[in-house]
Amino acid sequence: MTDIHAIRGLYENARQRHDQARQVLGRGLTLAEKILFSHLEVDQETLTSVPERRQDYCDLRPDRVAMQDATAQMAILQFMQAGLDQVQVPSTVHCDHLIQARHEAQTDLAAAEEVNAEVYRFLRSSSEKYGIGFWKPGSGIIHQVVLENYAFPGGLMIGTDSHTPNAGGLGMLAVGVGGADAVDVMAGLPWNVKWPGAIAVHLKGNLGGWTSAKDVILKVAGELTVKGGTGAIVEYIGDGARSISCTGKATITNMGAEIGATCSVFPFDEAMALYLESTGRGDLATLARDHADLLAPDAEVEENPSEFYDQILEIDLDSLEPHVVGPHSPDRARPVSALGAEAKENGWPLEISAALIGSCTNSSYEDMDRASSIADEAVKAGLKAKSQFLVSPGSTQVFKTVERDGQAGIFENLGGTVLANACGPCIGQWQRDDMEKGTSNSIVSSFNRNFPGRNDGNAQTLSFIASPDLVTAFAIAGTLDFNPLTDTVTTESGEEIKLPVPEGDSLPDQGFVTDSEGFVAPPESGTSVVVDVAENSERLQLLKPFKPREAEQLVDMPLLFKANGKCTTDHISPAGPWLKFRGHLENISRNMFLGAVNAFHDSPGLGNDPETGSSKPLHEIAASLRDSGHFWAVVGDENYGEGSSREHAAMCPRFMGCGVVIVRSFARIHETNLKKQGILPLRFQDPADYDKVLQGDVVTIEGLEELAPGTTLTAVFRHQDGSEDRAVCSHTCSESQVKWFWAGAALNTLT
């Protein structure tokens, strides 16, 4: 489904742009630079200057836009306000988030189609009206379907999901963004973004034994932490990078979101070409081979990486041990050999209540084949999974292929349940009946995120992440202190056996079972299509523009709450049961800050009403302040807004009356989303000023009239006793982003 002619044109134009960039820089180019320069919009034909890393904003022209059903609703509702007949860039919608995992694939899919019928009708009809490709429920998870059909080496894509970087496994710069960014691009405007920094992960050696591609990114997450990649593109280089399969590369780039990276990317190699051929894109494989020098760093880059990257991390794959991360954060990493002792030391439940494999991160044919090789030998030995064992295939294509080749049947013989081709438990769409809320328990998965409550809505569930191989072994052993590299399991006859070292093919010998029945191509003209949104709908609500800003709005703002520690988008706007309101701004705003830990309250999601002093949900306090004409402020800690790209974490606070968010540091996507919705994101210039903020403070922002790129503002915190503290604050707003703020939202500048 890729446009081979457009890609050929991109490659042909890229060579001249690369030469110009080398002349300006006086050096060779990294892969990320090559792709960025080939998509950079400049005023003249010749490139005479280049943006400075992490400093300058630039305008880029992405090749396509991808949206999943939960985020597409708000993105399309915003696009409708732009007044255009059609999207100006190839775009797709993928229905993968709204399918709840409860029983098994067919039953769950049928239930989702019934429960979400109104939303699916909206997404399909609006896609037809505006020229957007539509993938029906059950077709697969957005990132797997994109990898199979749309991703290509050297391309640039944005997607309304934080794990859009999955396509970096096929040599593409693919970046997760909020819906408002997608609207800009779909409306024909460039994507305005800060030129990223450059981090290299130099891989040496080869993966072997129980170690898989998943362990590479788990090791990287442990080294760089959840904010170590913020503002940078991570490139994987070295002989080790070329030894990993295409889908293994995608696993690694997918989870680059967990270190805050703008995206991650691998250079084009033969593994990518073979994947393209296996997925029916042999012409593109040939084209990429013919332009391979454009799709990899210049030779001198890998020879002397320290001269080209801001930071370099070296990993020897020969000695890399399988890793497990968690609980509660994807950077809490250790080798599997250390997990058991750490679990006992911390009093974590050793018994594993559920083991889950698949998701957008690890649902490739290779993943399924390797995991099933372990399961098959266990079944032959008479073993069954001791934990609940759930399998989430990535796409119809993968599922039908592993059904044909037998892996799906092996999982079922082990006692597993194959779920729908959807996100399911990975994003909280798991109707879990085996565990009461509030019960402490341990689960293991091959997913990407493990924040408290992320998978099952229970903050007491300890979620650990590992490769599908390890997760399958854990399911068989049933306990966290099991190390398949050294330990044995006991059969019913009492025999002690070691589980086999996983083996598997990266691609199916018989090829994939091709399946595109779930795809609905848009008509040539959608002018006659009617997008129906019922006036009394609880699921969908047409948007009204936010009003322009006035400086007085950021004077004497009550402090709604001060976030203590980690405050992710899951804390700000939880998913799970709230996904059903993603197209209804008013209804979903009732989940605002439900999971946030308030420094001035004992329970998450609660604060003290400034009028009465009584304890109330934060969203109720916010609504009361808004309705009485008061804007309000939030103070946050480090990496505020970590996690998903969901712009509801910015739209809901804007809708409820937020004026400013002041933090020690931001996660990239969330900071941009706040700007897009007209909320001012500020950083304490001195992080210690966070401690000056007290309960009951009233906040005023001084110097707002001079807001411009590079300026500083002063936040005045007036305390309940009449005293005050002042904090100098910085911001990262460009000229256009300052305009967004005063206009009330970026969308207001389009109309």
Side-chain angles (χ1 to χ4, degrees):
M1 296 183 185
T2 48
D3 186 341
I4 193 72
H5 301 293
I7 298 172
R8 181 178 289 108
L10 173 67
Y11 290 171
E12 291 173 352
N13 293 330
R15 192 173 302 281
Q16 181 182 10
R17 181 59 64 81
H18 294 173
D19 288 339
Q20 293 172 353
R22 290 189 192 96
Q23 291 177 12
V24 175
L25 289 168
R27 60 167 175 79
L29 303 178
T30 68
L31 172 58
E33 287 174 333
K34 287 185 176 183
I35 300 175
L36 291 170
F37 282 125
S38 66
H39 292 83
L40 179 65
E41 183 170 88
V42 294
D43 295 332
Q44 60 281 335
E45 187 173 328
T46 302
L47 188 69
T48 58
S49 63
V50 299
E52 184 177 349
R53 288 180 183 173
R54 301 178 184 267
Q55 296 297 321
D56 295 335
Y57 282 88
C58 64
D59 286 334
L60 299 171
R61 289 287 181 177
D63 299 299
R64 65 182 311 110
V65 174
M67 298 170 282
Q68 38 93 336
D69 50 357
T71 54
Q73 296 172 63
M74 198 59 71
I76 292 175
L77 286 166
Q78 291 177 87
F79 180 80
M80 291 169 67
Q81 289 187 278
L84 297 176
D85 293 333
Q86 242 186 358
V87 295
Q88 305 300 298
V89 171
S91 304
T92 51
V93 167
H94 305 258
C95 295
D96 62 355
H97 272 56
L98 299 179
I99 301 171
Q100 189 175 58
R102 187 168 187 178
H103 300 293
E104 51 78 39
Q106 293 305 313
T107 303
D108 292 345
L109 179 59
E113 289 176 329
E114 179 180 353
V115 171
N116 303 309
E118 176 186 11
V119 173
Y120 292 148
R121 284 197 303 270
F122 167 74
L123 291 173
R124 179 166 178 170
S125 62
S126 58
S127 294
E128 292 174 347
K129 184 171 185 64
Y130 298 116
I132 301 169
F134 179 76
W135 287 85
K136 293 186 288 188
S139 301
I141 304 173
I142 176 173
H143 311 305
Q144 183 66 29
V145 174
V146 165
L147 197 73
E148 293 170 353
N149 295 277
Y150 301 114
F152 66 91
L156 174 65
M157 176 178 71
I158 61 171
T160 59
D161 189 282
S162 56
H163 292 103
T164 298
N166 189 83
L170 203 37
M172 190 176 208
L173 290 191
V175 185
V177 299
D181 272 334
V183 170
D184 280 354
V185 174
M186 290 192 295
L189 298 176
W191 176 43
N192 183 258
V193 66
K194 188 172 284 188
W195 195 265
I199 297 175
V201 179
H202 194 179
L203 301 179
K204 302 176 180 179
N206 293 276
L207 295 171
W210 280 87
T211 307
S212 70
K214 182 78 162 195
D215 300 302
V216 176
I217 186 57
L218 299 186
K219 172 69 173 178
V220 170
E223 294 288 334
L224 294 182
T225 78
V226 291
K227 63 177 184 176
T230 303
I233 291 176
V234 178
E235 286 189 38
Y236 289 83
I237 61 174
D239 291 338
R242 291 181 279 276
S243 72
I244 301 172
S245 69
C246 178
T247 50
K249 292 177 171 71
T251 290
I252 294 169
T253 61
N254 175 295
M255 276 194 70
E258 272 51 73
I259 59 172
T262 300
C263 63
S264 305
V265 67
F266 279 80
F268 173 74
D269 60 14
E270 192 58 20
M272 295 183 191
L274 293 174
Y275 182 77
L276 288 169
E277 290 173 341
S278 187
T279 51
R281 292 171 285 173
D283 54 348
L284 179 52
T286 300
L287 183 64
R289 286 188 179 108
D290 291 342
H291 296 83
D293 62 309
L294 305 176
L295 308 174
D298 286 339
E300 61 265 37
V301 174
E302 194 165 301
E303 293 170 2
N304 299 289
S306 61
E307 297 180 12
F308 298 89
Y309 298 98
D310 307 326
Q311 182 180 355
I312 300 170
L313 177 65
E314 292 193 353
I315 297 177
D316 182 0
L317 301 182
D318 289 329
S319 60
L320 179 64
E321 185 179 335
H323 271 55
V324 181
V325 301
H328 301 330
S329 190
D331 60 354
R332 190 171 185 175
R334 85 285 288 164
V336 64
S337 59
L339 177 61
E342 187 178 346
K344 292 172 184 175
E345 181 180 346
N346 286 281
W348 299 332
L350 292 180
E351 182 182 355
I352 296 170
S353 61
L356 309 96
I357 66 171
S359 85
C360 69
T361 320
N362 277 108
S363 57
S364 68
Y365 184 87
E366 181 179 30
D367 291 326
M368 298 294 104
D369 204 26
R370 284 175 60 94
S372 69
S373 73
I374 303 166
D376 192 33
E377 290 301 315
V379 169
K380 289 177 181 176
L383 295 168
K384 288 278 189 179
K386 290 185 178 179
S387 308
Q388 182 182 18
F389 186 46
L390 302 176
V391 181
S392 299
S395 68
T396 303
Q397 182 165 284
V398 168
F399 171 68
K400 288 190 173 181
T401 304
V402 298
E403 187 179 42
R404 178 199 67 193
D405 293 351
Q407 294 94 336
I410 291 171
F411 292 138
E412 291 173 346
N413 290 338
L414 187 67
T417 299
V418 178
L419 301 173
N421 312 317
C423 300
C426 185
I427 60 163
Q429 284 286 64
W430 181 15
Q431 181 62 45
R432 192 176 184 193
D433 300 323
D434 66 306
M435 193 67 57
E436 287 188 17
K437 290 283 181 69
T439 302
S440 180
N441 70 107
S442 296
I443 67 172
V444 292
S445 80
S446 67
F447 301 164
N448 43 43
R449 293 221 166 108
N450 58 349
F451 305 137
R454 167 79 180 186
N455 303 120
D456 60 3
N458 178 12
Q460 299 306 311
T461 292
L462 306 184
S463 178
F464 298 86
I465 298 173
S467 68
D469 308 337
L470 279 188
V471 173
T472 303
F474 280 133
I476 296 166
T479 180
L480 279 182
D481 59 351
F482 176 72
N483 179 2
L485 282 72
T486 58
D487 299 342
T488 60
V489 291
T490 306
T491 67
E492 284 191 0
S493 63
E495 182 183 3
E496 297 287 329
I497 65 169
K498 284 188 71 174
L499 295 176
V501 174
E503 296 179 343
D505 295 325
S506 62
L507 297 169
D509 288 338
Q510 302 177 56
F512 284 102
V513 178
T514 57
D515 188 285
S516 58
E517 292 181 7
F519 178 68
V520 180
E524 288 189 16
S525 173
T527 54
S528 62
V529 178
V530 176
V531 179
D532 182 25
V533 177
E535 188 173 344
N536 60 347
S537 172
E538 292 188 352
R539 300 288 301 270
L540 299 162
Q541 181 185 51
L542 295 177
L543 296 175
K544 296 179 181 179
F546 291 128
K547 294 180 180 180
R549 285 291 192 185
E550 298 175 4
E552 292 75 17
Q553 295 175 352
L554 273 65
V555 173
D556 292 337
M557 294 176 290
L559 176 69
L560 183 67
F561 82 105
K562 176 182 176 180
N564 184 27
K566 189 184 286 286
C567 191
T568 72
T569 50
D570 278 20
H571 294 106
I572 301 168
S573 181
W578 292 94
L579 280 172
K580 64 184 177 182
F581 296 129
R582 282 290 184 89
H584 198 294
L585 183 55
E586 186 172 359
N587 282 346
I588 199 170
S589 292
R590 291 186 286 111
N591 79 351
M592 190 182 70
F593 299 126
L594 280 184
V597 178
N598 186 352
F600 308 129
H601 207 286
D602 295 333
S603 300
L606 298 179
N608 297 308
D609 190 315
E611 295 294 326
T612 65
S614 60
S615 176
K616 289 183 179 179
L618 291 169
H619 69 89
E620 290 186 10
I621 299 172
S624 178
L625 289 170
R626 176 200 60 190
D627 294 345
S628 63
H630 291 93
F631 285 84
W632 43 265
V634 167
V635 168
D637 209 324
E638 296 282 2
N639 208 31
Y640 182 87
E642 169 193 343
S644 171
S645 69
R646 68 188 66 156
E647 63 183 344
H648 298 76
M651 289 191 80
C652 294
R654 178 68 170 99
F655 177 74
M656 299 290 275
C658 183
V660 65
V661 177
I662 312 171
V663 302
R664 283 173 162 158
S665 66
F666 281 107
R668 175 190 61 85
I669 300 176
H670 186 64
E671 182 179 19
T672 300
N673 286 344
L674 291 172
K675 294 175 183 178
K676 285 283 186 179
Q677 302 304 331
I679 294 176
L680 186 62
L682 299 178
R683 288 176 170 84
F684 290 111
Q685 203 163 71
D686 179 358
D689 285 342
Y690 168 90
D691 296 322
K692 295 178 178 178
V693 182
L694 305 178
Q695 183 174 359
D697 279 358
V698 175
V699 185
T700 293
I701 304 301
E702 293 183 347
L704 201 56
E705 293 82 354
E706 287 76 43
L707 179 64
T711 60
T712 59
L713 304 174
T714 299
V716 181
F717 299 96
R718 191 173 76 248
H719 309 309
Q720 288 180 318
D721 63 3
S723 65
E724 65 180 39
D725 275 299
R726 306 170 74 84
V728 177
C729 298
S730 61
H731 66 87
T732 61
C733 291
S734 64
E735 289 185 12
S736 61
Q737 291 167 352
V738 171
K739 293 178 182 177
W740 300 346
F741 173 74
W742 289 118
L747 191 60
N748 293 347
T749 65
L750 297 183
T751 56

